Amino acid sequence: MSNRQKDTTFLVQGSVLAIASIISRIIGLVYRIPMTNIIGEHGNDYYSCAFEIYSTLLMISSYSLPMAVSKMVSANMASRKRQNAWRVFQGAMIIALVTGTAGCLVVFFKAQALANLFQTPLSYYPLRVLAPTLVIVAVLGVFRGFFQGLGTMIPSAISQILEQIVNAVVSVAAAYILFGYGKRIAETMGGNQHYAEAYGAAGGTLGTSVGAIMGLAFCVFVFILYHKKFKKMVVREQRQRRTVPESYGSIMKILILTIVPILVSTTLYNLVSIVDQGMFKNLAILQGYDSDSVSKWWGIYSGYYSVLTKVPISISTALATSSVPALAAAFALKNHDQVRHRISLSMRFILVIAMPCTVGMIVLAGPIMQLLFPGASDLAASLIRAGGISIIFYSISTLSNAVLQGIDRMRIPIRNAIIALAVNVVSLPISLFVFHLNIYAMTVGNIVFSLVMCILNALSVRKYSGFTPDISKTFLKPAISAVIMGAVVYLIYFVLYKVTGINSICTVIAILAGIISYAVILLQIKGLTESELKSFPKGDLIIRYAKKLHILPAVTE
């Protein structure tokens, strides 16, 4: 297989997972609209608080497993050690069951104490519903990591979409049913408590559990179909090479040594959300704000700002996930030029998408909020405008985290995350007590953490891989194209809205115009050349249409 074919396959696999992530996020956005209407801003607070605690326990118990499994399976497959790859899967499954069960028991029996810690006692109900999901997701992660290590993202992508569809349906239905049940409980207890919102939030988390079961069922089905073929390949390999596989003890040791650094760095990287929540709520109440206002602010922040900004970031997360096996395989074969080339492709691919997403989100924050969440507070759009730039920083730092893990520099992201988290912890009280930013302090914290992480990771990637990005092509040209696109989008929306007054139509047309204008400008200023486009998924098709429309310059190199 030629280098170009390998690059195309590598990016196609990343694109498959990225598209699945986008579809999942869109489904997530769609179902959050009716669910938010049902449970309200206080319900969003309880839902997000429970989810942050659950996510933290998930990271500690098993979140690092898929990446560790995919890395080890990919490295063994590249070295033609299929039996070792199979033993990695078996060892990881044992770890998943043990750690997932431990996490489940902690969340279930300590739910009230955890909820009280974050000044959100009623998040106890959705948190207990989430507890069993820790076991399901741990096992599901091992299956996904195994398939990704084999070089295919299809099972992960399809299971992810199925999981989210089921999640959406069950979440809305269960939220509606349990909200009514909680309302009746509140009425019998005087009618002043927010039991309806708490039970509604519990219904929302029930969807997460049922969706995970569906995702797991699909992966098990695919695994059963593939299992016999893989076992035959293992037996054939043994007969041909007569190699002795590594012992289970050795495999488990390597797995743990791989998991722990990824676990610590991933936990620290994502710990910022739960640290911010705990600090913000406690400090805001200490500052004199009443708990009801704090709960409402957090509901707006978590229910609108976080949900929307995570959509473009999910693309970088998906590409980062898919890049680890490819980087690990190239690194295992000591092909350092290929490692640097794939880092470059991944970085270019992410920024070509992250730049316009960031600008578009900032420029159309208000219209997008009105389109997706009619009647939502203006505060949500203001938060997006204030903190939208963090989308770019999170996208870069997410990818660079995966790059460092893929080239066996596991401890570096840990160090960088500790420094970034420390800076963030200092910035939050300053924003609250010195500048009195209330909930806007959260957007400042997001920018500070992601920027520091981004800078430190970039320096580390350069040091340990030798990769230095082309500043003009990687950053400046996508940025220039995105800024011009932002002006076009704003002008089109403003004019159309003055004429029609219909937000939904104006927003959709402005977004479509933005996509077209960005692509045209990027190609015209040679932000992407013809040879580079060939390495992108469906690159030949893009080139053909670009030439027909005369938007690809004649001289491309």
Side-chain angles (χ1 to χ4, degrees):
M1 186 183 288
S2 68
N3 283 339
R4 186 197 150 192
Q5 287 175 317
K6 288 179 181 178
D7 293 338
T8 304
T9 301
F10 161 62
L11 282 178
V12 165
Q13 292 297 329
S15 299
V16 166
L17 213 54
I19 291 167
S21 294
I22 293 168
I23 293 171
S24 297
R25 291 290 182 184
I26 291 171
I27 295 170
L29 269 177
V30 171
Y31 89 76
R32 283 297 288 268
I33 296 169
M35 195 177 89
T36 298
N37 289 334
I38 293 167
I39 66 177
E41 288 164 351
H42 288 293
N44 264 338
D45 179 29
Y46 307 145
Y47 178 86
S48 69
C49 181
F51 222 90
E52 290 291 355
I53 296 169
Y54 156 80
S55 297
T56 302
L57 266 295
L58 178 64
M59 279 185 281
I60 294 170
S61 63
S62 59
Y63 193 80
S64 57
L65 271 172
M67 191 171 288
V69 171
S70 69
K71 182 178 184 295
M72 289 185 65
V73 168
S74 176
N76 278 296
M77 293 296 288
S79 303
R80 297 183 178 277
K81 297 176 181 177
R82 291 185 176 86
Q83 191 161 0
N84 284 349
W86 175 244
R87 291 191 171 190
V88 167
F89 170 79
Q90 292 174 309
M93 191 60 71
I94 293 169
I95 293 172
L97 289 169
V98 171
T99 57
T101 302
C104 170
L105 294 174
V106 169
V107 170
F108 190 82
F109 290 108
K110 295 295 180 181
Q112 191 65 69
L114 291 167
N116 290 339
L117 182 64
F118 293 92
Q119 300 289 335
T120 318
L122 290 178
S123 62
Y124 159 83
Y125 296 102
L127 191 54
R128 290 197 84 173
V129 172
L130 277 170
T133 318
L134 286 163
V135 183
I136 301 164
V137 173
V139 174
L140 175 58
V142 175
F143 280 109
R144 285 175 173 168
F146 180 67
F147 289 128
Q148 289 162 14
L150 294 176
T152 175
M153 306 294 158
I154 302 295
S156 295
I158 295 175
S159 68
Q160 192 174 328
I161 293 171
L162 284 174
E163 178 184 348
Q164 194 69 337
I165 291 171
V166 173
N167 181 9
V169 175
V170 175
S171 291
V172 175
Y176 178 78
I177 293 168
L178 291 181
F179 183 88
Y181 180 72
K183 192 174 182 180
R184 290 193 295 273
I185 291 178
E187 287 169 356
T188 61
M189 300 180 69
N192 296 322
Q193 295 84 0
H194 291 293
Y195 281 105
E197 291 91 336
Y199 275 84
T205 56
L206 180 63
T208 304
S209 301
V210 179
I213 292 171
M214 176 58 72
L216 177 60
F218 176 79
C219 283
V220 170
F221 172 72
V222 175
F223 180 80
I224 290 170
L225 294 179
Y226 181 73
H227 177 249
K228 286 184 179 179
K229 179 182 176 182
F230 186 79
K231 290 291 285 183
K232 285 180 181 177
M233 290 166 65
V234 170
V235 171
R236 192 184 310 122
E237 180 185 276
Q238 278 187 301
R239 287 174 180 170
Q240 290 174 350
R241 302 182 65 188
R242 298 187 180 278
T243 55
V244 178
E246 292 185 48
S247 67
Y248 281 104
S250 175
I251 291 287
M252 292 292 278
K253 182 181 177 181
I254 297 170
L255 250 178
I256 292 168
L257 289 174
T258 305
I259 288 167
V260 171
I262 296 176
L263 163 65
V264 177
S265 63
T266 306
T267 301
L268 287 169
Y269 184 66
N270 291 279
L271 197 62
V272 64
S273 299
I274 197 163
V275 169
D276 280 350
Q277 181 173 181
M279 284 184 65
F280 173 77
K281 287 183 176 179
N282 284 284
L283 290 175
I285 289 171
L286 182 65
Q287 201 174 1
Y289 295 109
D290 64 276
S291 58
D292 206 57
S293 296
V294 172
S295 175
K296 187 175 180 180
W297 285 341
W298 193 265
I300 292 169
Y301 171 80
S302 61
Y304 304 128
Y305 171 84
S306 293
V307 169
L308 282 175
T309 55
K310 282 178 181 176
V311 173
I313 294 172
S314 67
I315 299 171
S316 61
T317 303
L319 194 62
T321 301
S322 67
S323 70
V324 170
L327 285 171
F331 190 77
L333 298 173
K334 301 186 186 303
N335 191 340
H336 299 298
D337 288 338
Q338 188 70 7
V339 167
R340 286 190 288 271
H341 182 57
R342 288 183 173 179
I343 294 171
S344 177
L345 275 178
S346 300
M347 189 67 71
R348 295 283 306 284
F349 190 70
I350 278 180
L351 285 172
V352 161
I353 295 169
M355 292 282 191
C357 286
T358 301
V359 173
M361 196 77 77
I362 292 171
V363 171
L364 292 178
I368 290 172
M369 283 303 306
Q370 292 176 42
L371 176 67
L372 297 176
F373 300 98
S377 169
D378 292 338
L379 175 61
S382 297
L383 288 171
I384 292 171
R385 283 190 286 266
I389 190 67
S390 64
I391 292 170
I392 293 174
F393 302 143
Y394 269 115
S395 296
I396 297 172
S397 58
T398 299
L399 176 64
S400 53
N401 251 13
V403 166
L404 289 166
Q405 290 161 358
I407 61 174
D408 276 347
R409 297 292 173 177
M410 305 288 197
R411 296 178 183 177
I412 304 303
I414 298 174
R415 181 200 65 192
N416 295 345
I418 290 172
I419 296 170
L421 188 59
V423 176
N424 175 68
V425 166
V426 173
S427 74
L428 189 57
I430 292 173
S431 298
L432 282 170
F433 289 104
V434 177
F435 296 102
H436 302 282
L437 294 180
N438 56 63
I439 192 63
Y440 287 97
M442 291 302 306
T443 61
V444 173
N446 277 338
I447 293 170
V448 168
F449 175 83
S450 57
L451 177 59
V452 173
M453 193 74 186
C454 183
I455 293 169
L456 293 176
N457 274 4
L459 293 172
S460 300
V461 168
R462 185 174 68 179
K463 179 179 179 181
Y464 295 109
S465 72
F467 166 72
T468 302
D470 183 322
I471 300 297
S472 176
K473 286 186 176 182
T474 306
F475 298 101
L476 292 181
K477 289 184 177 181
I480 291 167
S481 304
V483 169
I484 297 172
M485 177 212 75
V488 171
V489 165
Y490 179 79
L491 184 63
I492 289 175
Y493 177 83
F494 180 78
V495 171
L496 285 177
Y497 192 73
K498 280 286 186 183
V499 174
T500 66
I502 304 172
N503 177 70
S504 57
I505 294 174
C506 297
T507 304
V508 172
I509 291 174
I511 290 171
L512 292 174
I515 294 169
I516 295 169
S517 63
Y518 176 75
V520 171
I521 296 162
L522 187 67
L523 291 175
Q524 285 293 312
I525 66 173
K526 300 179 184 178
L528 285 175
T529 64
E530 184 173 332
S531 62
E532 289 166 342
L533 277 172
K534 286 178 180 177
S535 294
F536 278 60
K538 300 294 181 183
D540 291 328
L541 186 66
I542 295 170
I543 291 167
R544 188 161 67 248
Y545 278 105
K547 285 184 175 179
K548 279 185 180 180
L549 297 170
H550 304 289
I551 59 175
L552 188 66
V555 180
T556 57
E557 303 299 335

